[in-house]
Amino acid sequence: AQAPPEDGKARRYSAQVLEHLNSSHELEKVGSAEEASDVPEIDEEDDWDSVPQVVLSYSTVVAEESPASPAQVDQQADSSELLFGPALTREAAYGFFLGWLQEGGALQKPQESSFFHRLLEVPGHARQLQELEALLKTPFHEEDKLHRQLAFSVYAKFAKLFDPHLRPSSCKRKGSHWEEMGFQNDDFVTDLRGVGVLGLLHLLSFFGSYPASAQLAFQTNRDHVAKHGENGAIPIACASLNFSAVALLA
């Protein structure tokens, strides 16, 4: 198809564009020539000896790290006051702690029982009792990462009772949330003296595997407080741990 004829205005505009392009091209040529004139010419036979040689070397000096900012220092200092996830399930927590006890030598191979006792005993019952007794005697280790993760897991399961969509990544090591859970004060460790880490495993199972029963217990407690005041509150965590200790030691 034949292109439509250009009017006079379009032809004048095209001429101006061409003139501008030509002038730009000439400037580039002049600039290139000026840059080329600034480069000294080197005689291959006489002047290469005067060119300085460049020698590569490696430095062994290690750059010093910049000092931490006040915010970073505060964050590092506060990390010991926090408990971090991810939250563990009861099966994973129980398995991790059994492995932790075996590495420390707290779990020994159970003694062989007589033929008569083997006929009457439940398979694996003696081993399970040994595991529970070892957990009962194991105190909460403040500096152990697994212990702290277990405590956080209990809090995460407790928080999820009231908000199923809540996914906390950390919580305070001490705080009112432990009292809301049913401990006697803001430090849950003081109530673990008689049950050890088994108490945390117990609460993890209670909150995580029986949420309906746990919600009913807390709702009943709130109704009791509304009727009788704060003096009528039942420390659910402590009461639950006491029942577990009695059942194990019976």
Side-chain angles (χ1 to χ4, degrees):
Q2 185 176 2
E6 298 181 352
D7 56 9
K9 185 177 180 180
R11 285 194 297 270
R12 288 194 301 273
Y13 179 76
S14 300
Q16 292 176 358
V17 172
L18 290 175
E19 182 179 357
H20 175 71
L21 293 175
N22 290 332
S23 60
S24 301
H25 182 64
E26 291 296 332
L27 288 175
E28 291 179 359
K29 291 171 61 179
V30 173
S32 301
E34 291 178 352
E35 293 176 359
S37 63
D38 294 337
V39 179
E41 295 183 359
I42 299 177
D43 189 1
E44 296 182 358
E45 297 181 357
D46 300 330
D47 295 339
W48 274 113
D49 295 335
S50 62
V51 176
Q53 294 183 354
V54 178
V55 180
L56 298 178
S57 61
Y58 295 92
S59 174
T60 58
V61 178
V62 179
E64 297 182 357
E65 296 183 357
S66 58
S69 63
Q72 293 174 334
V73 173
D74 293 341
Q75 185 177 5
Q76 294 173 359
D78 294 340
S79 62
S80 62
E81 303 299 326
L82 295 175
L83 303 175
F84 296 97
L88 300 171
T89 63
R90 67 171 185 175
E91 294 82 2
Y94 193 78
F96 285 148
F97 267 89
L98 291 185
W100 183 82
L101 290 173
Q102 289 174 351
E103 290 180 0
L107 281 180
Q108 305 295 332
K109 185 178 179 180
Q111 297 180 354
E112 292 291 337
S113 57
S114 64
F115 175 76
F116 177 75
H117 284 91
R118 287 200 300 270
L119 290 176
L120 299 179
E121 70 178 4
V122 178
H125 180 65
R127 178 65 175 179
Q128 188 176 27
L129 282 178
Q130 184 187 27
E131 294 171 355
L132 294 176
E133 289 176 359
L135 293 169
L136 186 72
K137 297 176 182 178
T138 301
F140 182 82
H141 291 190
E142 195 72 52
E143 304 300 326
D144 193 281
K145 183 178 178 180
L146 180 59
H147 288 225
R148 297 175 71 89
Q149 187 178 6
L150 174 61
F152 167 78
S153 302
V154 173
Y155 166 76
K157 298 298 182 182
F158 168 73
K160 195 175 179 180
L161 292 175
F162 308 99
D163 186 358
H165 303 289
L166 189 62
R167 297 291 187 274
S169 58
S170 64
C171 71
K172 290 184 178 180
R173 164 64 181 80
K174 298 179 181 181
S176 60
H177 49 284
W178 299 111
E179 296 180 84
E180 296 173 2
M181 199 179 300
F183 288 97
Q184 297 185 76
N185 53 52
D186 62 352
D187 188 359
F188 64 90
V189 175
T190 58
D191 291 328
L192 298 179
R193 288 188 293 264
V195 291
V197 295
L198 180 63
L200 293 177
L201 289 169
H202 161 87
L203 292 176
L204 180 65
S205 178
F206 181 39
F207 297 154
S209 300
Y210 306 95
S213 299
Q215 289 170 348
L216 179 60
F218 283 107
Q219 182 60 50
T220 303
N221 194 33
R222 286 195 295 269
D223 295 341
H224 197 266
V225 171
K227 185 177 181 180
H228 301 283
E230 291 294 335
N231 292 331
I234 300 174
I236 294 179
C238 289
S240 182
L241 295 180
N242 287 333
F243 278 111
S244 293
V246 170
L248 184 62
L249 298 175

